[in-house]
Amino acid sequence: MVLYDTVSVVIASGGTASAVADIGNKTICGLLIPALDSGSLTFQVSNEPGGTFYTVKDKAAAAHTIAAATGAFAVTSDDLTEVSGYRYIKIVSVTQQTAARTFIWVLK
């Protein structure tokens, strides 16, 4: 039996960035995304919780983006390879949310 851990973070009402998720030494298996107002999600990472956070981009300098819709959904570790290996991660919405939104990282 495989046991999974979770880490929840919230984008506050009127906000665009989540609190910092401390992934620790776990492997990211997925991300549960709540219903959003609209927009897409990007990610910021750091090597320390209070350090400078950097937007995750590909080699063409485009931000790694997950297109978000108005319904809740999940993405797998295949969609999150760009943030794998980082301990501290923030989720960033390109649009402000009208209510608090809770995201759940699934880890093992």
Side-chain angles (χ1 to χ4, degrees), residues 19-107:
V20 177
D22 182 351
I23 303 302
N25 61 354
K26 304 285 185 177
T27 300
I28 295 172
C29 298
L31 178 63
L32 303 177
I33 300 171
L36 301 172
D37 294 335
S38 66
S40 297
L41 302 174
T42 61
F43 301 90
Q44 294 179 340
V45 297
S46 180
N47 62 348
E48 50 188 73
T52 301
F53 278 78
Y54 301 90
T55 299
V56 176
K57 296 184 178 184
D58 63 20
K59 60 187 173 188
H64 174 63
T65 303
I66 293 178
T70 56
F73 62 99
V75 292
T76 68
S77 59
D78 290 344
D79 298 312
L80 300 166
T81 55
E82 288 82 353
V83 297
S84 294
Y86 293 102
R87 179 168 178 174
Y88 302 104
I89 306 171
K90 289 182 183 181
I91 300 167
V92 180
S93 173
V94 297
T95 58
Q96 285 187 332
Q97 298 302 304
T98 58
R101 308 294 183 197
T102 301
F103 297 78
I104 302 171
W105 291 97
V106 180
L107 313 166

